Amino acid sequence: MTDNEERMPLTFAEVYRRARAAGGEAIPPFDLRRGLDELRAWIDREVDVVEETGEHRASAGVRRSQMELRGRHDLLKELLTLARRPAAGGPAVLVGAGGSGKSTLAAALTERARSWDRQLWWVSAADPAGFFEGLTRVMSDLGGSTTDLESIANGASDGPDRLWRLLERSPRRWLLVIDNADDPWILAAADSPAGIQDGRGWVRASQRGLVVVTSRETDARMWVGARLFAVGQLSEVDAAQVLRDLAPQAGDETEALALARRIGGLPLALHLAGTYLGSGIAQSHTFAAYERALGSREGTMVDRTAEISLDGLAQQGIPQARTLLRLASCYAPESIPTRMLSMRGLQEALDGLTGVGLIQSGAAAITLHPVVTATHRARLAGPEVWQTAVAHLVDALRELSHSQPECWPEYRRLSQHLLALLDAVAEHGDHEHLALLADATADVARAFNHSGAFGAAGMLCRIALDRCAALGEEHPAVLGVRHQFAWTVANRGDLSQAESIYQEVLSIRGRVLGDYHPDTLRSRHESGWIASLLGRWGEAEQRYRDTLHDCLLHLGPDSRDTLTTRHELAYAIARQGRLDEAQPIFEDVLRDRRRVLSDLAPQTLQTQHALAWITASQGRWAAAEALYRQLLDLRQVLEADHPHVLLTLHELAWTIARQGRRSEAETIYRQVLERRDRTLGTDHPETETTRWALNELLHGRIVDAVHPA
């Protein structure tokens, strides 16, 4: 080891294995004392021992072995210097071909930074859904409010500014890695015509921390303002050493050099070849034999090395490993749930593929290198594997419920695989499976809409409508996607466009499916909802009544859709001043929602909140106060700045003021105003509502709360 070469962090188990491989007879198993002495000497000379913590194991999916940093130490030192003193430049962008080791280099930097007491994040930009989920996690770790998080979910133009305010205020320094940003435009602000050039997007320079991006986009014009680091192929000497590190028993330096010359300097191909030779299942146990095996194959070097590994697994009695890898390649490369890979001999295949380095396995999911994914997609000869992948994804989604908050994270994880299949099946699939994907899109978008992720829902719907155009505009599955898209349009404030989409979908559904089909009834309900948003309360009431009549006949009284229409009908009645008429309807809906859903379901709490407002609007202030306080207790699982919590507190202050306890009401109003001002902004309508109520209270007047739908 040279003086300027960094030592390798290894676990004790790995230390002993390598010491035996490197020392040969120097550590004989029959001489324990001599063996320990030799082992200690080898440790002192060669490695730094680290503990094998759970955190260390958990990050293995994004790291290669330290051995594979051969030839990258100078680059790593530059990155370490930049990370320690980020004001000197940045962000840092690692560019190079797929499989060149960009992610490995970024992961090595992350591992070094663990000892610096810094906050660390690893966000994949391979697909939009996963990217924005990762950014949401960063915001949450930084103490972001619900509004901050929703700015990402909704695709708001101020999302990057909100994230960067939190990053700049972080009490600890940080390192943020954005991996696989092969399309730089994903890093731009929503309203920006540039990638990162204008400094307004998700990637910026900072004195508080460093952003590191990995990308296949090598055009320097796309990265103006960034520090560019080219990650190229390894030299023959470094490539040979990688092979010898991974398979020390496969031959000498000369043979390793010959194989490295044949494979080339792409680290991914070297990793696959070396891992296979060191795995114990290899048919060709030596570098020379492996070189001969390469000569009989065609395709890219990653393709050829992967196929040699799969042939070896088949010879070991695991032929299903090839089938599994083909199936997995249909999905996005990261976090593929193993339940979507069900097949006979699954665990044996997973173990085999992990052993030869073709996948990274976790407790319930696997990850492929993007180049491995692309390579094996190219080998799919017909539509059968794609169709199987669609069926497995649809089955996984059927296990979830769009209305249950605990399911929303899983919907976000599965959305990346839905996007991958939409891209491929539009070309390879038949109409039956394309329709299944359109139905799945409507289901995922509905979950996104319920969770407040309107931006993600809109993006997903737009992609699906483009990919599923072959089904025709009147296909029921396409109409389901358009229905959910209209919801996203309404929630971003474009009510006239949303109403137009709803009316067109309703017209087609009524003609194609009939007036009483469940999908048509949902469209009829939304026509009432959009009328209420536009303030046409009498029209909304009549539409709800007509829809409710047919929901009761054709869906039944306990249908979720029926319960929703009953709730919205009561609200339309209340907004027209008929509180005594609305109250018993709300009470009945609350009882039925508790029975059908649960006491803590969001829809149940929505009805309970409406009843508290009705009670207050009737002048029964003490009873209303008790209801609001009970509601706050039930919503205690939400964060203090959650919009529903702040709305409850605002209306609680109103009931307290009406009972003459103005000082107490003033204190609550001030708390709500501070939180709304901080999380929503000083000009937000809800912030203005609380500011007005507080100012009026200070002048001896009380403002009655107008409860939203």
Side-chain angles (χ1 to χ4, degrees):
M1 170 177 281
T2 61
D3 292 339
N4 63 354
E5 191 174 8
E6 296 203 18
R7 300 186 340 158
M8 298 179 290
L10 301 172
T11 64
F12 273 112
E14 184 66 9
V15 164
Y16 190 78
R17 188 186 73 77
R18 296 193 188 179
R20 288 282 296 156
E25 296 180 358
I27 310 176
F30 55 83
D31 188 343
L32 180 59
R33 180 175 299 278
R34 181 185 172 195
L36 290 173
D37 289 342
E38 293 287 347
L39 179 58
R40 290 191 188 97
W42 191 83
I43 291 172
D44 292 340
R45 197 171 60 245
E46 298 290 339
V47 301
D48 287 330
V49 176
V50 298
E51 290 189 30
E52 191 170 13
T53 63
E55 182 181 26
H56 185 87
R57 288 192 300 269
S59 61
V62 295
R63 291 201 320 276
R64 295 282 196 268
S65 165
Q66 176 72 11
M67 295 179 297
E68 294 179 80
L69 283 175
R70 297 284 183 187
R72 306 295 194 210
H73 291 291
D74 288 343
L75 273 176
L76 180 59
K77 286 178 180 177
E78 287 188 64
L79 289 170
L80 287 166
T81 300
L82 191 58
R84 288 193 180 99
R85 295 187 295 276
V93 181
L94 312 182
V95 298
S100 61
K102 304 179 296 294
S103 300
T104 302
L105 186 55
L109 172 65
T110 303
E111 285 302 298
R112 299 298 194 281
R114 290 187 190 280
S115 63
W116 300 350
D117 188 32
R118 302 201 177 192
Q119 287 185 283
L120 306 172
W121 299 283
W122 188 286
V123 176
S124 172
D127 70 277
F131 178 57
F132 291 118
E133 180 184 358
L135 293 177
T136 301
R137 186 175 66 253
V138 175
M139 261 194 183
S140 178
D141 289 347
L142 289 166
S145 68
T146 298
T147 306
D148 290 328
L149 303 181
E150 288 178 349
S151 72
I152 294 180
N154 297 335
S157 60
D158 67 343
D161 289 335
R162 288 179 177 273
L163 172 65
W164 276 94
R165 277 197 295 271
L166 293 168
L167 285 168
E168 295 291 14
R169 294 172 184 169
S170 172
R172 296 169 59 196
R173 293 187 178 273
W174 45 265
L175 175 66
L176 169 60
V177 176
I178 300 179
D179 193 31
N180 291 326
D182 298 331
D183 178 6
W185 296 106
I186 197 174
L187 306 176
D191 59 349
S192 171
I196 69 167
Q197 292 92 325
D198 59 7
R200 296 176 49 239
W202 298 106
V203 175
R204 306 179 185 181
S206 171
Q207 296 184 12
R208 298 297 302 158
L210 177 66
V211 179
V212 176
V213 178
T214 73
S215 177
R216 297 189 203 180
E217 177 54 74
T218 58
D219 188 344
R221 293 172 296 181
M222 295 298 296
W223 305 110
V224 175
R227 287 282 300 273
L228 218 59
F229 295 85
V231 184
Q233 296 203 350
L234 299 178
S235 68
E236 284 186 5
V237 172
D238 287 326
Q241 191 58 57
V242 168
L243 292 171
R244 296 193 72 196
D245 287 339
L246 292 167
Q249 307 297 332
D252 59 23
E253 183 176 358
T254 301
E255 293 168 324
L257 277 169
L259 179 56
R261 195 174 300 116
R262 183 63 175 272
I263 291 177
L266 189 68
L268 176 59
L270 294 164
H271 167 78
L272 292 177
T275 303
Y276 172 71
L277 287 169
S279 67
I281 69 158
Q283 295 173 276
S284 307
H285 294 283
T286 66
F287 295 137
Y290 195 94
E291 185 181 0
R292 289 192 296 272
L294 280 175
S296 62
R297 297 176 183 274
E298 297 180 352
T300 67
M301 192 54 65
V302 171
D303 191 5
R304 293 152 74 183
T305 53
E307 287 301 309
I308 288 175
S309 297
L310 292 173
D311 285 346
L313 289 171
Q315 289 292 327
Q316 291 290 320
I318 316 176
Q320 70 272 26
R322 179 176 271 105
T323 302
L324 176 60
L325 195 59
R326 301 283 197 266
L327 176 61
S329 71
C330 294
Y331 301 115
E334 298 185 7
S335 300
I336 306 169
T338 52
R339 72 179 189 278
M340 294 199 322
L341 304 170
S342 59
M343 59 185 299
R344 181 174 297 177
L346 174 62
Q347 191 57 55
E348 191 177 20
L350 290 172
D351 292 342
L353 291 171
T354 302
V356 296
L358 281 168
I359 67 172
Q360 299 283 344
S361 289
I366 67 170
T367 293
L368 278 64
H369 193 286
V371 176
V372 173
T373 293
T375 295
H376 287 274
R377 281 186 185 177
R379 285 186 167 270
L380 299 178
E384 293 80 9
V385 179
W386 291 107
Q387 293 170 1
T388 301
V390 170
H392 287 185
L393 174 65
V394 169
D395 287 343
L397 287 169
R398 284 173 180 158
E399 298 173 1
L400 307 176
S401 171
H402 66 265
S403 63
Q404 298 300 316
E406 60 269 21
C407 293
W408 294 339
E410 186 64 11
Y411 273 110
R412 289 194 292 271
R413 281 189 286 270
L414 293 180
S415 66
Q416 64 175 326
H417 304 302
L418 174 59
L419 285 169
L421 288 172
L422 280 168
D423 279 338
V425 175
E427 177 182 354
H428 298 287
D430 53 38
H431 282 196
E432 176 188 353
H433 290 83
L434 201 57
L436 286 173
L437 288 178
D439 283 333
T441 298
D443 183 37
V444 174
R446 192 176 187 187
F448 283 177
N449 281 324
H450 274 268
S451 70
F454 307 122
M459 175 202 68
L460 182 61
C461 289
R462 285 191 296 271
I463 291 173
L465 290 172
D466 177 67
R467 302 297 190 271
C468 299
L471 295 175
E473 293 185 353
E474 297 189 354
H475 193 286
V478 173
L479 293 173
V481 177
R482 295 184 65 196
H483 179 99
Q484 293 303 322
F485 181 63
W487 196 356
T488 71
V489 172
N491 278 292
R492 74 176 185 226
D494 194 344
L495 300 181
S496 60
Q497 183 189 359
E499 183 175 32
S500 176
I501 298 173
Y502 275 132
Q503 290 300 330
E504 186 175 356
V505 171
L506 173 58
S507 175
I508 297 174
R509 279 178 164 174
R511 175 165 46 82
V512 174
L513 303 176
D515 289 339
Y516 310 123
H517 189 279
D519 289 346
T520 308
L521 291 172
R522 292 189 187 100
S523 287
R524 291 171 59 186
H525 172 94
E526 301 302 352
S527 71
W529 178 63
I530 204 72
S532 70
L533 292 179
L534 290 165
R536 306 197 304 257
W537 295 108
E539 178 186 340
E541 178 187 351
Q542 188 56 54
R543 290 184 180 181
Y544 283 138
R545 287 190 183 279
D546 293 342
T547 304
L548 178 59
H549 175 271
D550 292 331
C551 281
L552 289 169
L553 285 176
H554 299 280
L555 301 181
D558 288 346
S559 164
R560 291 172 182 262
D561 291 334
T562 302
L563 292 171
T564 299
T565 301
R566 288 168 61 194
H567 174 99
E568 299 293 351
L569 171 61
Y571 185 71
I573 292 170
R575 285 302 302 268
Q576 296 176 79
R578 290 146 48 204
L579 301 178
D580 291 343
E581 181 182 348
Q583 181 181 354
I585 301 176
F586 275 130
E587 289 172 345
D588 289 344
V589 174
L590 179 61
R591 182 189 64 247
D592 291 341
R593 277 184 160 172
R594 282 173 170 166
R595 176 175 53 81
V596 174
L597 304 176
S598 73
D599 288 349
L600 297 178
Q603 300 90 333
T604 305
L605 297 181
Q606 177 192 32
T607 303
Q608 190 165 339
H609 196 154
L611 268 173
W613 175 74
I614 288 279
T615 304
S617 299
Q618 292 170 329
R620 296 186 288 136
W621 306 112
E625 179 185 352
L627 290 174
Y628 279 122
R629 292 191 182 280
Q630 181 185 21
L631 187 62
L632 279 175
D633 289 340
L634 294 173
R635 283 178 168 163
Q636 63 184 341
V637 296
L638 302 176
E639 63 178 65
D641 293 341
H642 193 284
H644 292 170
V645 173
L646 297 180
L647 178 62
T648 307
L649 283 170
H650 177 97
E651 294 180 13
L652 173 63
W654 164 49
T655 65
I656 290 173
R658 282 296 185 183
Q659 296 176 79
R661 290 147 45 205
R662 299 198 174 193
S663 177
E664 184 181 349
E666 178 186 342
T667 299
I668 298 175
Y669 274 138
R670 289 188 185 279
Q671 292 174 352
V672 175
L673 178 61
E674 185 276 328
R675 293 177 185 175
R676 281 182 163 174
D677 187 68
R678 173 166 44 82
T679 61
L680 300 177
T682 187
D683 296 329
H684 192 279
E686 292 180 18
T687 308
E688 292 286 358
T689 296
T690 302
R691 182 178 293 110
W692 180 42
L694 175 59
N695 288 337
E696 289 293 290
L697 184 68
L698 294 175
H699 288 87
R701 296 181 292 271
I702 299 174
V703 176
D704 288 332
V706 178
H707 183 71

